[in-house]
Amino acid sequence: MNGTRMPTLAQAQAGEPPRGDKGAHHRRTADTGPPEHNAPGGPPPAADAVPAHPAGVLATARIRATHNGRATTVPLLHSDGPFHLRKLRSRGQRARVCVLGAMSAPLGGDRLALDVTAETHTRLEVTTAAATIALRGSTTDPATYDVRLTVGEDASLNWLPEPLISTRGSTLHQRFDVDLAPTSRLLLREEQVLGRTGEPPGHLTTRLTVRCGGRTILDQHTAYGDPAPAWDGPAVLGDHRATGQLLLVGGPGLDTDRGARVIGDDPAEGHAVLAPLAGAPALMATAVAPTPACLRRLLDTALAHVHGGGE
C-alpha cells in the first residue's frame, strides 16, 4: 500500500514479536464496551472486567452499519490495537468490511474485543485479511478475544473470518456473543487450526452464545489442547487438527424440517454434520478435518446444501 509495510496477524512467529508503537499506547484502563453492553440484563463486558497484563494490549474495535433509506452505509469504523478496519467494495446490497492486523495478536495477557452492529434493514459482511495466530507472548497469562455481534430487525450479517491458529505455548479464551432480532439473518463461520505444521497446539477455549429475540438458542463451549481432557481422543478430534462450524439463522428458504445430514465420504478427509437447532429457524454444520483446506471444503459443501443461506 504505497510502499508502506503493514504486518498482518499471519506474519507472526512463535514467541513475542515486536508489537510496534501501538503496544504501549494501548496499555490502559479496561474498556468494558459501549453502554448497551453494560445495561441490566444485557451480555457481560468483553473481558469480564479482567485487566490486561502489563505486557498485554487492551483494545476494542467497533463497526456499525446503518441504512440510509437506499443502501447500507458504515458510519462507524473504530480501529484499535491490532484491529485495523477497512471498507471493501460492496457486493450487491451488502456492505463489506475487512479486519486487517496492525500488530501481532493475540499474545498472552492481551484483552481484545470486536463489536459489530448491523442496524435495521442493513446488509453487512465482515471478514479478515489473514489468519489470526494466538501466540504465547512474554507472560503465561491467557489472552482473551471477544466478538460481539448485534443484528437488528430485517438485517443480515455475514461473519466470515479466516481461521484462528493456536500455536504451542499459547493460551487463548475466545467468546462470541450474538444478539439477533426475530427477523434478522446470520451467517457465521468459525474455524480453528490446532498447531502449525509439526507442532502441538496451545490451549484454546471458545464459547458461542446466540440469542434470538432475547431467547438463547445456542450456548456451546469447546476446549482444545492441554490441559483440556480427551480433546484429541476418538470422541472429539482424533487425528484431525482443524475444526469449525457454520451457523445460519433465519432467511428465506432455510429448510429446518429435514433431519441431520453427514457430509464427507472419505473419513481421511474429514466429515461434517449439518443439523437444525431445536426450536429455532437455524441450521448448524460442525466439521473436523486434517487440514484447513479440507475443513473449508466441508463447510462450503454444507452451505451449498442450504438454499438461500446467508443472503
Side-chain angles (χ1 to χ4, degrees), residues 21-308:
D21 295 337
K22 290 187 178 182
H25 175 73
H26 285 280
R27 295 171 191 144
R28 60 178 186 269
T29 304
D31 179 359
T32 57
E36 61 267 29
H37 291 292
N38 298 321
D48 292 331
V50 177
H53 187 275
V57 169
L58 185 64
T60 299
R62 295 184 175 92
I63 302 170
R64 180 171 61 87
T66 189
H67 197 274
N68 63 10
R70 301 183 306 276
T72 298
T73 64
V74 186
L76 176 63
L77 284 180
H78 174 72
S79 301
D80 195 11
F83 303 115
H84 179 74
L85 308 177
R86 176 169 296 179
K87 293 181 184 179
L88 302 177
R89 180 174 304 203
S90 297
R91 183 173 294 159
Q93 296 183 342
R94 192 174 296 278
R96 300 167 64 224
V97 175
C98 183
V99 182
L100 303 172
M103 65 177 74
S104 300
L107 301 183
D110 287 352
R111 300 289 181 264
L112 308 178
L114 179 60
D115 270 299
V116 180
T117 300
E119 295 184 350
T120 301
H121 302 312
T122 58
R123 304 289 183 266
L124 177 66
E125 178 174 301
V126 181
T127 185
T128 60
T132 298
I133 304 181
L135 301 164
R136 61 177 173 83
S138 62
T139 173
T140 58
D141 280 19
T144 64
Y145 179 23
D146 296 294
V147 178
R148 299 185 287 258
L149 308 177
T150 304
V151 189
E153 294 286 356
D154 191 35
S156 171
L157 173 64
N158 291 354
W159 170 257
L160 301 172
E162 293 302 309
L164 168 66
I165 302 174
S166 173
T167 67
R168 176 170 48 195
S170 66
T171 300
L172 175 64
H173 303 312
Q174 185 176 44
R175 186 173 65 187
F176 291 87
D177 273 308
V178 183
D179 279 291
L180 307 173
T183 58
S184 60
R185 297 179 293 283
L186 173 73
L187 169 59
L188 178 149
R189 183 185 69 218
E190 62 163 336
E191 301 167 319
Q192 295 95 31
V193 179
L194 304 177
R196 293 172 290 194
T197 302
E199 76 169 2
H203 181 52
L204 172 65
T205 70
T206 68
R207 183 168 184 174
L208 172 59
T209 304
V210 182
R211 291 170 291 271
C212 186
R215 182 175 64 89
T216 300
I217 62 173
L218 179 66
D219 193 354
Q220 175 178 282
H221 180 267
T222 59
Y224 305 110
D226 293 335
W231 67 272
D232 56 352
V236 187
L237 295 185
D239 294 331
H240 296 307
R241 289 299 176 267
T243 182
Q245 50 198 4
L246 188 78
L247 175 65
L248 299 103
V249 183
L254 192 65
D255 181 9
T256 59
D257 293 330
R258 298 178 59 182
R261 284 163 275 178
V262 177
I263 298 170
D265 299 324
D266 183 358
E269 297 294 314
H271 55 270
V273 175
L274 178 64
L277 295 185
L283 290 170
M284 186 171 187
T286 302
V288 296
T291 66
C294 291
L295 177 67
R296 181 66 61 85
R297 279 198 298 271
L298 288 168
L299 296 179
D300 286 346
T301 301
L303 182 59
H305 279 76
V306 182
H307 296 293

Side-chain angles (χ1 to χ4, degrees), residues 1-6 84 86 100:
M1 291 173 284
N2 299 326
T4 302
R5 182 180 180 185
M6 178 178 290
H84 179 74
R86 176 169 296 179
L100 303 172

